[in-house]
Amino acid sequence: MLWTLPERGSKIAARFFCLELAVKRLLACVLISSVGCACLAADQGAIAPVFDPQRISAEVKTLSSDEFEGRGPATPGETKTVAYVSGQMKAAGLQPGGDLKDEKRSWTQSVPLVRTQFVGEQKFSLTVGGKVQDLKQGEEITVRATIGESGSVSLANVPLVFCGYGVKAPERNWDDFKDTGLRGKIMIVLINDPDFETGAGDFGGKAMTYYGRWTYKYEEAARRGAAGILIVHETAPAAYGWATVKNSGTGAMFDIERANPASAHTKIEAWIQRDVTVDLFERAGLDFEALKKQAQTREFKPVVLNGATFTADLKVESSAIVSHNIVGRVEGSKRPDETVVYTAHWDHLGVGAADAKGDKIYNGAVDNATGTAALIELGRAFAHGPRPERSIVFLNVTAEEKGLLGSQYYASHPLYPLAKTVANINVDSLDPGGLARNFSQSGSANSGLLELLVSYAKAGGLEFLPDPHPESGGFFRSDHFSFASHGVPALSFESGNDLVEGGKQAGEAKHKEYGKTRYHQPADEWQADWTFAGMAHDLPILYKVGSDLANSKQWPNWSADSEFRAARDATADQRK
Ligand SMILES: [Zn+2]
């Protein structure tokens, strides 16, 4: 999973929608038993496959062993991972579902990536009323290495424009830009969405919509042809401190290879400290807090910072890398061109800075050897179970930790058309321990897919706990988001926090301990006392959701107010 994990806290009241037909059918069939039920989906659901915790444990142990070197993309760790996972998929009975070579599918999809890093020193400054203020990289400002071609970037005295939250959301009748030309200018924007501070409004209140995410703001700046964008860092709406911004923003950057990088990235993609911004506004004769209040209303219009400009001088070096998604498949018997996709990322952080014990290998046992093992075992269940009517793809993606790149590449170069992709179910960092009484999903996006999962989970004894911290944008931090942003109904399943042994107290303590001592650290290692009983219990539920979808003609969709709905509806004519 990308960046910091949201901490789990108090339960937020669930907002359930009425159960759909599929659920009623399922419940009826559970009562009637599998014999004599006319509903194929439920027939299959009734024969729940058994997931072997020892096999899951062995797979997690292998994938997270030191031999795999932390599974860094385009390293010897990738070669080992690709060989192991494709071997396991084959042994599990799956067919290769990757790139076509000589009219035959291979086990992988090539993912061309670009790696960019700074060369030498970077210089940034603000000028107000003729007075120059230098900004120190990583301290007052964090500019990431410009994604694109190698070379120098020089910007001299570029005008600054405050654009509020930098949001244009037609379905919410919201436009911070009001036709203001921003070509060649530097945008200053606030993090999160316009109703975060007030807690109620058009953007789900405290919950973060995609408009609140920094990646959206970078993309919007590129769409407007701006020279750059500075996001004002404020800890509460960002959900992380400056250290996180600094640590993840100053190293090498990765992106998928693009024909025209400038269409996706401006030259300056940066965060700026709040204090520096307040001071800058003051010197330009503006009141930051007052403008921020205005930005929380529809009437807001961009404000030029009179007499204030931005200057930058930097040099970057880019190189091309090829990594791989690993793809297994079960072909559908009746509608093979319609696909249900399960995803999990195989990559982790590779070899990096040593921890206190001198360990440099970031093994990524929980993150995400657990999800990769789950994907292999879901594949085994489908390969050995009744053949589904629609196809099922098991997509083990690369470079999630570098910005969801393997899944982004798949979504923009799909091996199977997205318009006919029924749904995406993602697993990232599952709990390798014992049974829980509940489960959650990352973020608060609502869809028919979630309703289906909630109902099957209930039948399987798991209560639904909505993401207790949707404001931290968990929805946008794993691979299902790459499908969602292209309109495909998608979710990421999260293990529960109410443990059968020890309840919520134990579950939360465990989660906290993981976040503090293991998450994205060399200590995320396989442990002998992990039972994997929780995963063995929960995976049949994910199997049933996929099986139900693959044996029906359902096309679940996003809720009416979802920012992903329009992208899905645009291809509705292809789903009959
Ligand atoms: Zn991670």
Side-chain angles (χ1 to χ4, degrees), residues 188 232-233 272-282 288:
I188 300 178
V232 183
H233 178 261
I272 185 164
Q273 291 269 29
R274 181 183 189 278
D275 292 354
V276 177
T277 315
V278 171
D279 181 58
L280 164 71
F281 275 49
E282 210 174 281
F288 175 78

Side-chain angles (χ1 to χ4, degrees), residues 1-2 348 367 400-401 519-520:
M1 191 181 203
L2 273 173
H348 195 55
D367 185 9
E400 186 269 356
E401 305 285 11
Y519 171 69
H520 282 199

Side-chain angles (χ1 to χ4, degrees), residues 1-3 345 347-349 367-368 400-401 428-429 477 514 519-520:
M1 191 181 203
L2 273 173
W3 287 20
H345 73 90
D347 70 299
H348 195 55
L349 306 173
D367 185 9
N368 185 30
E400 186 269 356
E401 305 285 11
D428 186 356
S429 306
R477 302 206 328 237
Y514 169 72
Y519 171 69
H520 282 199

Side-chain angles (χ1 to χ4, degrees), residues 536-549:
H537 174 270
D538 297 353
L539 289 176
I541 295 166
L542 298 185
Y543 169 88
K544 283 181 185 177
V545 174
S547 170
D548 187 22
L549 290 172

